[in-house]
Amino acid sequence: MAAGRALIVALHVSSVHAFEGRPSDGPRPDPSPVSRDHVVVRAGLGLVGDRYFNHPAHREAAVTLFSASVPGDPLPARRNIVLEGFDVDSLARHDVLSLDSGDGPVRFEIHRPANPCAWMDVVYEPGTFRALRGRGGKRCVPLDDGVLRVGPVEIS
């Protein structure tokens, strides 16, 4: 994995799971805005305020990293940290990725792919689900407390 610079283009935190039931019924609305200009990260727990924060079943998958690869707004994909200029899907299990958007580095240990689902054809255009196979991002666990912000990010 090469060190370098990229952009955090979106940060997503939601207290509820919007993709329940049948995709044809549409997603459940969020009770509050999900887009953030910054997020608070807690080691081993996830992003403060997110539905997977300190959730025992998601300890190794509390945060999802995603390469900006969908046309338009990346927020409907419901991935927590969206990066432009870095190939998240090239990361392997147990790789450690460090992101520093100006408040100090925050490391994440990669655990598994975040496979896309049929909902992608509902919140984006038909065919997006298939187009994102193998490019749905990575689920990971934060190793450090810290803050991440939308904008330029140092990666190592």
Side-chain angles (χ1 to χ4, degrees), residues 9-14 30 32-39 73-76 78-80 150:
V9 295
L11 295 167
H12 179 281
V13 173
S14 177
D30 283 289
S32 60
V34 297
S35 179
R36 301 285 192 271
D37 64 352
H38 73 281
V39 293
D73 184 1
L75 287 175
R78 302 189 65 84
R79 303 310 199 227
N80 299 116
V150 169

Side-chain angles (χ1 to χ4, degrees), residues 81-95:
I81 301 169
V82 182
L83 297 167
E84 183 176 282
F86 182 78
D87 183 9
V88 168
D89 295 299
S90 69
L91 298 168
R93 183 171 176 82
H94 299 298
D95 279 352

Side-chain angles (χ1 to χ4, degrees), residues 29 38 69 94 101 124:
H38 73 281
S69 58
H94 299 298
S101 61
Y124 293 108

